[in-house]
Amino acid sequence: MYLENKSDLDLKSPAAAPGLQGRSSLRTAEAVAGGYGEVAGNFGGLRLLEGFSGRIESQKLQQASARSAGSCVMHAEDRQSFSMVNFLKGNTNHTERSPLIRFSQDDSITYMTLYEGEETWDNNSLELDRRCRLGSEVTSLSLSRSSSTDKDPLDVHLNFKLSNSMRSCISIFKIACIFTFVVLMSLFFSMYPDRDNPWRMLAVSPTESFSLNLTDFRDNALLKLQVGGPFVSGMVDLTNEEYILIQVEQTEEAGPRRRRVQTVIYNWTIPLHSERSDQVITTKTFEMLSSDPIIITVQAFVQDNSMVPLSMTHQSLYVTRERQVVIAAVILGGVYVLIIFEIVHRTLAAMLGSLAALAALAMIGDRPSLSTVVEWIDYETLALLFGMMILVAIFSETGFFDYCAVKAYQLSRGKVWPMIIILCLIAAILSAFLDNVTTMMLFTPVTIRLCEVLNLDPRHVLIAEVIFTNIGGAATAVGDPPNVIIVSNQDLRKSGIDFASFTGYMFLGICLVLLTSFPFLRLLYWNKKLYNKESSEIVELRHEIRVWRQTAQRISPASREETAVKCLLMQKVLNLESVLRKQLKTFQRQISQEDKNWENNIQELHKKNRITDRVLLVKCISVLGVVIFMFFLNSFVPSIHLELGWIAIFGALWLLVLADIQDFEIILHRVEWATLLFFAALFVLMEALAQLQLIDYIGVQTALLIKAVPEEQRLAMAIILVMWVSALASSLIDNIPFTATMIPVLINLSQDADVNLPIKPLIFALAMGACLGGNGTLIGASANVVCAGIAEQHGYGFSFMEFFRLGFPMMLMTCTIGMCYLLATIIGLGWTL
């Protein structure tokens, strides 16, 4: 393919805007789209917008494409006025007539220049290889030059070669290690079959029992029983008059290892549901002595002597419970190492952890089938995320987020900390009544646009918002998933923990936590520079470089034309970094902590940030209002049989129809597929860790610690232990399965006659710790991950450690205040709750 001599290949950059009106990421994206349109026109309409169109509004994209098409005509008419080499070098008074590409050296910096000739791409493979090598090395070269501009060119070249070689070795070593790990885990998983023990159907009554003899058992193995029947949801209530009793008995005869006969008997009591309608599957693991036969007896204790239908299956596990817990802890620690040090993307880290956990289950003899693994995924959460992502993507087409950013700037009168406090307070209030994920999906785009207007670093503001979102979600029974699990539990409702009592007690405590959190947040941010260190022009130039580099990396060099375009984009990055270095040399850091001309800026911002589509805005607000209203009704009206996921999906469908979306791919590119895949992998990982007894082990050890405390101090110590164990565990693992596991543990603990503890203080300590503990790490709460994903899509992603430095101290402080509130009201004031 030839490049026509009548047109110069040009990549446009957006013009710099002075003051607070600096180029936003949207304008940068439009400029990239314009350059893409021009390049794609010269190369026969290549699809180069894929992966980047998610950040471009559809109307703006059409305008950018029209401008790019017009620019091609302009170049054809006035080819002397502008050229590629002039644009890259920053000169506008020099022209080049030939469009083909070659290499030259100018002040030891490599540029792409143009030369005369009729040589085709196919006949110049060596030249093309040189271009590709330049495109792959240009970023590393620019980084090395930025730190050693005053050194001798030969030294710079040697340093570059050395660092590049070290970097390549480290990258190859990392890939080799991870690939070896994946292959080994895949082999281990494939060496063991799925658990194929069939379910045994049986019926028992007070007069007819069921017995089963197991003879094919190994030494040092565990017996895992799964029983399905009309049970109460996972509860072991000894006061229930109707229940199923399962007795597991094994007798070890005298032999070389043991002089006397030893018998072990386990009694497992499962309460029956009064209506006998729901089919609930419960699981329990028993430690056996040896390979001697095992006798399993099942009997029902019911009032009317009726038959109770049951289903049962068993599994032999060849690793002890303690070793399973160690394996689960090692896997969880490995996942955190991958995420903390950013060795791989967090989504891939969760997938690797899930693979390791599944391989561990296969090796201990409990390999799940594919259908079982799919059932572990919480599709309601994924549906909620997907539906809200579609709603927010269409909502952003109206310009509403830019308008809200200007209004927030006007309300704060140009002052940063009042604005941050207002945003955090609104986020906390909304999250008390909405899902935390929904709140952050609506707030993150507004915050990013506002920070771009004020020349702030959006990452610190977003972290503060998501922290207060998790705090506010703990205030009500519908604000956070652990609270929903607690209030919806039937046994806890019988104990007096309903919506009103739970919300009333938690709301008072969270208000106290919020009042102390704002000063502590200001203390944490005391030495942090919220404003960007450079001027808005330099900040926007840095962001533009990041956007160009990400765009070039998303191009897969499937053809020579796409390879050449990628080289041009990487050369563009090199040129912009050269311009950035020149600006940094002459820039004097003069940061104003308060905008003195905010009134004049408000007028200018109102002119440039308006509602672009009022009709679509009305449609979006209407649909979103209905969706939020349905969220409320779902919590208060039991007759509405729609989960949050279905409501979000229906809302997305309504808005897609009303908005009459033509370019559907633009909307799909806005969906955070990496975030959805991360949650799916995280659900599998957490369930696999639960199968490896990790969560049960935490609950059992907590109960043992509480029992070891003297009786006069047991209630206070129980509140402290449950609070902090829940907070720390929720920081490391998902708080939803942890809460679901701890509820029966605490109920059994309160029913133990030797412990004699009320259930309400323990449940409130669990709720306070599980909700506030989500601020400990980046993956401690769903809202954290969603916020990080949206920020990363806008070019402002924050790492695990950046969140940890702010979130973990806030978690410690808020949990301390919550613990003091619980102790003061329950132990000090003697509230019976």
Side-chain angles (χ1 to χ4, degrees):
M1 179 182 291
Y2 291 93
L3 288 176
E4 297 182 3
N5 293 334
K6 293 184 180 180
S7 62
D8 292 326
L9 187 61
D10 180 26
L11 298 177
K12 292 185 176 182
S13 67
L20 288 175
Q21 305 172 19
R23 297 160 303 189
S24 66
S25 59
L26 177 59
R27 296 190 179 94
T28 304
E30 290 175 358
V32 176
Y36 267 170
E38 186 172 349
V39 174
N42 289 331
F43 285 133
L46 298 174
R47 290 195 59 189
L48 303 177
L49 286 174
E50 184 176 358
F52 193 78
S53 58
R55 299 184 53 212
I56 305 174
E57 299 183 3
S58 59
Q59 296 178 355
K60 301 288 186 179
L61 178 58
Q62 296 172 1
Q63 298 173 5
S65 300
R67 290 196 299 269
S68 64
S71 65
C72 294
V73 177
M74 178 193 70
H75 284 300
E77 295 176 354
D78 190 13
R79 56 183 177 274
Q80 298 291 335
S81 60
F82 201 82
S83 67
M84 180 65 184
V85 75
N86 297 329
F87 181 75
L88 290 176
K89 290 185 176 182
N91 301 325
T92 58
N93 56 355
H94 178 70
T95 60
E96 293 279 347
R97 298 181 60 86
S98 300
L100 296 182
I101 302 175
R102 68 174 182 177
F103 294 87
S104 69
Q105 298 291 330
D106 182 14
D107 299 331
S108 72
I109 301 179
T110 304
Y111 290 97
M112 291 183 181
T113 60
L114 307 174
Y115 71 100
E116 299 283 352
E118 297 295 333
E119 188 178 12
T120 64
W121 294 97
D122 297 330
N123 297 331
N124 196 11
S125 59
L126 293 178
E127 198 72 18
L128 181 60
D129 293 338
R130 293 177 61 190
R131 296 189 199 101
C132 296
R133 286 195 296 271
L134 173 69
S136 62
E137 296 176 358
V138 64
T139 305
S140 300
L141 177 61
S142 62
L143 293 176
S144 63
R145 288 184 53 81
S146 63
S147 59
S148 57
T149 54
D150 298 332
K151 296 183 180 180
D152 183 75
L154 181 59
D155 294 337
V156 174
H157 180 72
L158 293 176
N159 291 335
F160 163 70
K161 288 295 184 181
L162 180 61
S163 62
N164 190 39
S165 300
M166 290 294 295
R167 210 164 22 245
S168 299
C169 292
I170 294 175
S171 177
I172 293 173
F173 178 75
K174 181 190 76 172
I175 294 174
C177 292
I178 296 177
F179 182 74
T180 304
F181 172 79
V182 171
V183 171
L184 289 177
M185 292 298 103
S186 302
L187 289 176
F188 290 152
F189 185 78
S190 61
M191 289 171 60
Y192 302 90
D194 293 343
R195 54 189 183 204
D196 53 357
N197 291 349
W199 284 86
R200 187 185 302 269
M201 309 304 297
L202 56 116
V204 293
S205 68
T207 58
E208 296 184 14
S209 62
F210 171 81
S211 296
L212 175 65
N213 291 333
L214 301 180
T215 57
D216 54 344
F217 210 74
R218 301 183 185 179
D219 288 333
N220 300 323
L222 302 178
L223 174 63
K224 180 179 179 181
L225 282 183
Q226 288 183 287
V227 183
F231 305 138
V232 178
S233 302
M235 296 294 122
V236 180
D237 189 0
L238 299 178
T239 63
N240 197 324
E241 297 180 357
E242 296 185 336
Y243 56 91
I244 296 292
L245 177 62
I246 300 177
Q247 189 176 72
V248 180
E249 180 180 357
Q250 184 184 45
T251 301
E252 186 180 14
E253 301 293 338
R257 295 184 304 174
R258 196 175 301 276
R259 297 181 180 179
R260 304 185 291 180
V261 176
Q262 183 176 1
T263 302
V264 58
I265 300 177
Y266 295 102
N267 291 325
W268 183 17
T269 303
I270 310 175
L272 292 172
H273 198 277
S274 58
E275 298 180 359
R276 311 280 177 85
S277 58
D278 298 332
Q279 181 76 9
V280 178
I281 297 178
T282 59
T283 304
K284 192 168 185 178
T285 304
F286 305 93
E287 294 184 0
M288 297 290 100
L289 297 175
S290 62
S291 59
D292 292 337
I294 301 173
I295 302 175
I296 301 176
T297 305
V298 184
Q299 188 173 5
F301 293 88
V302 293
Q303 295 178 353
D304 53 0
N305 294 330
S306 60
M307 301 293 294
V308 180
L310 301 175
S311 58
M312 184 176 65
T313 184
H314 68 276
Q315 191 77 18
S316 299
L317 307 181
Y318 307 119
V319 177
T320 61
R321 182 180 288 108
E322 289 75 13
R323 291 184 180 179
Q324 292 184 38
V325 172
V326 171
I327 293 173
V330 170
I331 293 174
L332 185 62
V335 172
Y336 268 88
V337 168
L338 294 177
I339 295 177
I340 291 173
F341 296 100
E342 298 182 356
I343 300 175
V344 295
H345 193 272
R346 59 177 175 270
T347 302
L348 181 57
M351 295 173 67
L352 293 176
S354 301
L355 176 61
L358 293 177
L361 287 176
M363 286 186 289
I364 69 173
D366 194 20
R367 169 180 160 171
S369 62
L370 181 60
S371 59
T372 303
V373 174
V374 172
E375 291 175 355
W376 289 351
I377 300 175
D378 189 353
Y379 289 101
E380 180 181 350
T381 300
L382 296 184
L384 172 64
L385 292 172
F386 178 77
M388 293 306 300
M389 286 176 182
I390 295 292
L391 289 173
V392 173
I394 302 177
F395 209 164
S396 63
E397 301 286 337
T398 62
F400 179 76
F401 295 144
D402 298 289
Y403 178 79
C404 289
V406 176
K407 286 299 182 182
Y409 176 57
Q410 183 178 7
L411 185 62
S412 63
R413 301 177 65 87
K415 298 180 180 179
V416 175
W417 270 104
M419 180 200 70
I420 294 177
I421 293 176
I422 291 173
L423 291 176
C424 292
L425 185 60
I426 295 176
I429 294 175
L430 286 180
S431 63
F433 302 99
L434 293 179
D435 186 79
N436 295 355
V437 173
T438 304
T439 303
M440 289 313 302
M441 282 186 178
L442 296 175
F443 258 73
T444 303
V446 177
T447 303
I448 291 176
R449 303 288 174 84
L450 178 58
C451 291
E452 289 176 347
V453 168
L454 294 178
N455 194 27
L456 294 173
D457 189 348
R459 293 171 295 181
H460 299 309
V461 184
L462 289 175
I463 293 174
E465 282 185 3
V466 75
I467 287 174
F468 278 87
T469 298
N470 293 327
I471 294 175
T476 64
V478 297
D480 220 5
N483 297 354
V484 177
I485 294 175
I486 290 173
V487 175
S488 60
N489 188 278
Q490 296 296 329
D491 291 283
L492 294 180
R493 286 187 177 183
K494 295 178 182 178
S495 302
I497 302 178
D498 53 6
F499 183 91
S501 61
F502 183 89
T503 302
Y505 185 79
M506 292 292 293
F507 182 80
L508 183 60
I510 294 302
C511 288
L512 180 63
V513 171
L514 280 176
L515 291 176
T516 56
S517 297
F518 284 111
F520 190 74
L521 178 69
R522 185 68 180 90
L523 182 63
L524 287 177
Y525 278 58
W526 188 265
N527 293 324
K528 290 188 179 295
K529 302 297 182 182
L530 298 180
Y531 279 95
N532 291 308
K533 296 180 180 179
E534 296 88 6
S535 63
S536 59
E537 289 80 6
I538 294 180
V539 171
E540 291 298 334
L541 185 57
R542 290 185 185 275
H543 191 236
E544 184 182 356
I545 292 173
R546 190 183 306 115
V547 170
W548 282 102
R549 183 182 292 112
Q550 291 177 355
T551 305
Q553 292 173 351
R554 289 169 181 169
I555 298 178
S556 57
S559 63
R560 292 175 178 269
E561 293 82 4
E562 291 179 344
T563 302
V565 172
K566 185 172 184 177
C567 294
L568 289 176
L569 294 180
M570 296 304 293
Q571 182 64 48
K572 172 66 177 177
V573 172
L574 176 62
N575 177 259
L576 289 177
E577 289 182 341
S578 178
V579 175
L580 177 62
R581 286 194 297 270
K582 293 179 181 179
Q583 291 190 12
L584 288 176
K585 287 183 179 180
T586 59
F587 175 68
Q588 301 295 329
R589 295 182 179 178
Q590 296 176 353
I591 305 174
S592 174
Q593 294 299 326
E594 181 177 342
D595 188 3
K596 304 298 183 181
N597 300 321
W598 68 274
E599 294 181 349
N600 296 331
N601 293 324
I602 282 294
Q603 299 177 359
E604 297 295 330
L605 290 171
H606 272 300
K607 296 178 182 179
K608 295 183 176 294
N609 298 277
R610 297 178 178 178
I611 302 297
T612 58
D613 194 336
R614 296 184 180 274
V615 176
L616 181 61
L617 177 61
V618 173
K619 297 177 181 178
C620 292
I621 292 178
S622 301
V623 172
L624 189 61
V626 172
V627 169
I628 293 175
F629 181 69
M630 291 293 292
F631 285 166
F632 279 105
L633 289 184
N634 179 72
S635 302
F636 297 102
V637 182
S639 60
I640 298 179
H641 304 289
L642 286 179
E643 291 80 9
L644 300 182
W646 278 115
I647 297 173
I649 291 294
F650 288 157
L653 290 176
W654 298 339
L655 191 55
L656 285 172
V657 173
L658 290 177
D660 192 18
I661 300 297
Q662 300 297 328
D663 196 348
F664 203 75
E665 291 186 356
I666 296 294
I667 301 300
L668 291 181
H669 279 305
R670 295 277 187 88
V671 176
E672 286 290 328
W673 298 107
T675 302
L676 296 178
L677 187 58
F678 171 79
F679 277 110
L682 188 64
F683 290 141
V684 175
L685 174 62
M686 290 299 112
E687 184 61 30
L689 295 181
Q691 296 289 331
L692 290 171
Q693 311 292 326
L694 178 62
I695 300 179
D696 289 336
Y697 179 81
I698 296 175
V700 171
Q701 294 301 315
T702 304
L704 292 177
L705 288 176
I706 294 174
K707 291 181 179 180
V709 177
E711 185 174 357
E712 60 274 8
Q713 303 173 356
R714 186 168 294 166
L715 181 58
M717 187 58 64
I719 293 175
I720 296 174
L721 281 176
V722 172
M723 174 81 183
W724 285 105
V725 169
S726 302
L728 295 176
S730 298
S731 297
L732 300 176
I733 60 179
D734 190 64
N735 54 14
I736 296 177
F738 177 79
T739 304
T741 304
M742 284 297 294
I743 288 176
V745 172
L746 296 181
I747 289 180
N748 294 335
L749 190 64
S750 65
Q751 295 173 349
D752 193 340
D754 296 332
V755 178
N756 191 22
L757 288 177
I759 185 60
K760 288 185 178 180
L762 302 180
I763 293 299
F764 283 119
L766 172 65
M768 194 80 73
C771 294
L772 299 180
N775 287 325
T777 62
L778 181 60
I779 63 175
S782 302
N784 306 353
V785 181
V786 171
C787 180
I790 298 176
E792 184 177 1
Q793 189 184 41
H794 285 77
Y796 299 104
F798 47 86
S799 64
F800 182 96
M801 292 305 299
E802 287 176 333
F803 186 91
F804 182 81
R805 293 189 191 101
L806 296 174
F808 195 77
M810 285 293 294
M811 186 272 289
L812 295 178
M813 191 277 300
T814 54
C815 288
T816 302
I817 300 299
M819 179 190 68
C820 294
Y821 169 74
L822 291 172
L823 294 177
T825 54
I826 298 173
I827 305 299
L829 300 179
W831 288 7
T832 58
L833 302 180

